[in-house]
Amino acid sequence: MMRNPVFSREMKVGSRSVRLPLIILLFNGILSLVTLLNMYSAVAQVRTTAAIQYSSFMNMYEFVTTIEFILLMFIVPAVTAASISGERERQTLELMLTTQMTASQVVFGKLMSALSTLLLLIVSSFPSVAMVFVYGGITWTDAVSLLLCYITVAFFAGSLGICFSALFKRSTISTVVTYGVLVAVVAGTYFINKFTLSLSAMNINNTAAAYGFGENAVKPTSGGFFYLLLLNPASTFLAILNGQAGGNTPLSKLKSSFGMTATNFVTENWVIVSILIQLALAALLIYIAVRCVEPVKRRRRGNKHK
């Protein structure tokens, strides 16, 4: 199989620069500091009370993995949002496309080089996350599911950044739009559910006042808007953590937060369904990015034959 030339170039340039080790140092430094501070707090509590509370170590695991998830979600767009638009600004994109490289090679090469960096961050951070294995409560299956969640959010956010980098000519605009859409997906789907839940509660209260029955007879719910959370990588991550922390079901906390009581195929397989939907959206975004780069390729070929 022929190796992607863009990927090879990006990996060589990245490995020779000081940027990659600096990112790894800062990323793992933050995680290690958080882990050690939580570990010190748990040990100090043991010395004071002479009792080991294993829930504190689980809380440490949840806190550290959440910090890593947030860092990944905000680092990936910064790496990919300027990948193609940066080539345009340096006036090197058209030079790349005058060669035998296709638009898909350019897009996939840029994306895979960014994801390989993020995969290196995930693997290098495993010792900090694995500290909880010393005290038990987390299995290797849980670690694999968490790793799958990290890879999914990296692929989804990276595809979002590469798509807007291909759509816009300026890196500043593509970065701002990428972060804006990512925040809209993560926070927007949550607040839409909160808003519909509030409307449902108001309607129930008004109906109860009009007909004189108890307000607790019907529970407020966000309804079908709850399934918008399938697009939200944070909801997938929270569902995985809830299942690892001993919840009744991985989705129990999310369902109770928005008044959902129905059980169906989607709610029973929430993590798998949400990951598949996010991967499908990522594939669509990559396709759009390739289509945005292809007209440049065709235009360069047309000028060459004139």
Side-chain angles (χ1 to χ4, degrees), residues 74-286:
F74 282 95
I75 288 175
V76 178
V79 176
T80 59
S83 54
I84 295 179
S85 56
E87 296 289 348
R88 282 198 180 99
E89 291 174 343
R90 293 188 295 269
Q91 298 181 354
T92 54
L93 179 62
E94 293 189 352
L95 291 175
M96 293 169 61
L97 294 176
T98 56
T99 63
Q100 296 298 319
M101 286 189 297
T102 62
S104 59
Q105 283 181 314
V106 175
V107 172
F108 277 102
K110 292 287 186 180
L111 179 61
M112 295 312 296
S113 64
L115 291 182
S116 61
T117 302
L118 271 298
L119 184 60
L120 180 60
L121 290 178
I122 294 172
V123 174
S124 63
S125 67
F126 191 75
S128 299
V129 178
M131 278 190 177
V132 75
F133 285 111
V134 177
Y135 303 97
I138 299 298
T139 64
W140 286 103
T141 305
D142 296 330
V144 170
S145 62
L146 186 67
L147 178 64
L148 181 61
C149 178
Y150 284 160
I151 293 174
T152 301
V153 70
F155 188 61
F156 178 72
S159 302
L160 197 65
I162 207 81
C163 178
F164 289 119
S165 182
L167 283 172
F168 298 104
K169 295 181 179 180
R170 297 294 178 185
S171 299
T172 305
I173 298 175
S174 62
T175 302
V176 171
V177 174
T178 300
Y179 277 111
V181 172
L182 188 61
V183 171
V185 171
V186 175
T189 53
Y190 173 80
F191 285 113
I192 286 174
N193 276 274
K194 277 294 184 183
F195 179 71
T196 53
L197 186 67
S198 300
L199 290 180
S200 176
M202 290 175 58
N203 291 333
I204 290 173
N205 292 337
N206 293 334
T207 305
Y211 293 95
F213 56 82
E215 295 181 1
N216 295 327
V218 181
K219 297 292 184 181
T221 176
S222 60
F225 290 99
F226 177 76
Y227 296 100
L228 286 176
L229 293 172
L230 288 168
L231 307 175
N232 191 338
S235 69
T236 309
F237 174 72
L238 291 175
I240 291 175
L241 276 191
N242 187 43
Q244 294 178 357
N248 296 328
T249 61
L251 206 61
S252 57
K253 286 187 178 180
L254 278 176
K255 290 175 67 176
S256 61
S257 298
F258 299 110
M260 295 294 294
T261 57
T263 300
N264 50 44
F265 176 81
V266 175
T267 57
E268 289 181 349
N269 302 277
W270 183 271
V271 174
I272 297 175
V273 173
S274 61
I275 286 177
L276 290 177
I277 289 176
Q278 290 163 28
L279 291 177
L281 284 176
L284 177 61
L285 291 170
I286 294 172

Side-chain angles (χ1 to χ4, degrees), residues 28-51:
N28 288 287
I30 293 173
L31 288 180
S32 299
L33 181 62
V34 171
T35 303
L36 291 175
L37 288 176
N38 278 273
M39 186 74 71
Y40 175 79
S41 176
V43 172
Q45 186 178 10
V46 172
R47 290 176 179 175
T48 303
T49 62

